[in-house]
Amino acid sequence: MHGSTSGLEETDRYIRETVGTTGPAAEADRLAKLSEIRSRGDISDEEFRRAKEKVLHS
């Protein structure tokens, strides 16, 4: 689990890169990608929850 801000910065960067895509299908795709990143261990569960909230409320 990542305790540093680098994981959060990576998550924020990922979200900014995908913001241009809109709609329910794009939202589902972004959530699937975030889930994949979490399953690889690249982000923590907490970072995933924060990123998911940003996707759902963007």
Side-chain angles (χ1 to χ4, degrees):
M1 192 154 109
H2 296 273
S4 68
T5 59
S6 64
L8 183 57
E9 290 168 1
E10 180 179 325
T11 302
D12 288 345
R13 180 177 44 85
Y14 166 77
I15 292 169
R16 282 193 300 272
E17 289 171 358
T18 59
V19 163
T21 314
T22 59
E27 209 171 76
D29 185 49
R30 289 185 297 214
L31 292 174
K33 287 178 183 177
L34 282 170
S35 182
E36 180 183 323
I37 292 168
R38 179 182 60 171
S39 70
R40 287 193 315 247
D42 293 340
I43 61 174
S44 69
D45 287 342
E46 180 60 30
E47 290 167 329
F48 172 80
R49 281 191 288 276
R50 284 187 227 145
K52 181 176 77 170
E53 288 299 313
K54 288 182 181 184
V55 169
L56 294 175
H57 297 286
S58 61

